[in-house]
Amino acid sequence: MRLHMHLHGARGSRAMNVEHVRAWLYGYRDRLTAVQGLLDELDNRIGDGDHGTNMLRGFRAACEHLGEAASPSEVLHKVSMGLLSTVGGASGPLYATAFLRMSQAWRGMEDISIKDLANGLNAALAGIQQRGGANVGDKTMVDVWAPATECISSDPTEHGVREASRAARQAALNTRQLVARRGRASYLGERSVGTCDPGSVSSAILFECLAITLVEGMEADPWTAQVL
Ligand code: ADP
Ligand code: MG
C-alpha cells in the first residue's frame, strides 16, 4: 500500500504520457461500443437518432492510427483529424475542435501534468463555445464540459479529476430538465424537456474515461442506466 501510494503520488506531477492518453481514447471507444444504442435513442427522441452511430464511427476511425503518434499532442491531433473526416453531424466538428485545441495546448510536451490537463480542457471548452456558440444552460455538451473543466482547473489533483467525472455525470443527467437552445434539439423547443442531451451524455463518459485512466482504482460506474 505504501509503495502504491508512493508511485501514485509520483505520477501527480506528470500525470499522463503518450500511453496514458492513448489508453484514455481506446477506453472511450470501447465504452462507445456499449452505449451507441443509448446515445442513438436519446438523439432519436430530440434529434435525428445518429449521435451514438456518429461517435462510434468517429472514434473507431480516429483510434486506428494512434499507435503511430509519438506524443500526447500528436495523439490528440490524429483524433481530431479522424473525427473531422468521418463525422458529418454537429458533434464531429465540435469534438474535433476540442481535441485540436487540447493538442495545441500540449505541443512539445512529453508528460502532461494535471495542470496541463486543465489548460488543455479550458482551451478545448473555449473552442467548442467559439465554434458552436452555446453557453451553459443551452442543453448541449457545453453543460458538461464547463463544470468538469472547472473542477480540474480549481483542483488540479487526482481528487479534482474524480470530482470532474462526478460533476460531468450529474450535469449530463441535469440536462433532462433543460430546454434546448442550440443544435437540432432546439427545433423542438419545450418538447426537448424530459430527455437528456445526447452530446452531454457522450461528453460525461469521456470525462469518466479520463478519470479511469488517471485515478488508480477508479472503475466505470453504471450511471448511464439512469439516462433513459
Ligand atoms: P447532429 O445534431 O448534427 O445530428 P449529433 O447527433 O452527432 O449531430 O450530435 C448532437 C449533439 O451535439 C447534441 O446533443 C449537443 O450536445 C451537441 N451540439 C449540437 N449543437 C451544438 C452547439 N451549437 N454547441 C455545442 N454542442 C452542440
Ligand atoms: Mg444527431
Side-chain angles (χ1 to χ4, degrees):
M1 191 58 195
R2 274 187 75 94
L3 178 64
H4 170 77
M5 293 296 284
H6 175 71
L7 285 174
H8 208 38
R11 223 178 111 188
S13 55
R14 298 186 308 180
M16 287 200 285
N17 61 23
V18 65
E19 291 302 334
H20 297 121
V21 178
R22 265 199 280 270
W24 171 28
L25 295 157
Y26 291 152
Y28 187 51
R29 174 200 55 196
D30 294 345
R31 279 292 288 287
L32 285 172
T33 309
V35 298
Q36 178 200 351
L38 169 72
L39 297 174
D40 278 346
E41 175 55 25
L42 290 174
D43 197 31
N44 202 29
R45 293 183 189 183
I46 57 171
D48 58 354
D50 62 359
H51 186 60
T53 303
N54 284 342
M55 292 296 286
L56 184 57
R57 188 198 315 119
F59 277 86
R60 270 201 181 132
C63 282
E64 245 166 55
H65 303 291
L66 298 190
E68 299 153 22
S71 68
S73 177
E74 271 185 45
V75 169
L76 296 192
H77 192 265
K78 281 187 187 294
V79 169
S80 176
M81 295 303 125
L83 292 178
L84 262 190
S85 59
T86 51
V87 185
S91 60
L94 291 166
Y95 272 100
T97 300
F99 285 109
L100 183 64
R101 293 292 180 90
M102 223 182 304
S103 163
Q104 288 163 346
W106 293 354
R107 199 173 280 156
M109 298 178 179
E110 292 286 321
D111 293 297
I112 305 300
S113 70
I114 299 180
K115 274 214 172 78
D116 300 328
L117 174 63
N119 291 338
L121 290 170
N122 276 295
L125 171 61
I128 292 169
Q129 291 194 274
Q130 274 164 23
R131 182 126 198 171
N135 287 311
V136 169
D138 289 348
K139 194 172 180 130
T140 71
M141 57 198 284
V142 169
D143 287 331
V144 164
W145 280 77
T149 297
E150 175 54 29
C151 279
I152 302 179
S153 300
S154 63
D155 178 12
T157 65
E158 284 187 17
H159 178 259
V161 173
R162 188 189 277 272
E163 286 306 306
S165 171
R166 268 205 206 105
R169 175 201 318 172
Q170 197 52 55
L173 291 170
N174 289 346
T175 61
R176 192 195 308 270
Q177 288 104 263
L178 300 175
V179 177
R181 292 203 197 86
R182 291 277 171 183
R184 252 177 233 286
S186 66
Y187 308 152
L188 290 178
E190 297 283 338
R191 280 177 296 142
S192 64
V193 175
T195 301
C196 292
D197 172 56
S200 294
V201 174
S202 63
S203 294
I205 297 170
L206 182 68
F207 279 95
E208 185 178 18
C209 289
L210 178 65
I212 290 169
T213 305
L214 282 174
V215 182
E216 196 75 43
M218 172 117 182
E219 283 170 26
D221 189 285
W223 68 277
T224 47
Q226 304 167 52
V227 164
L228 277 180

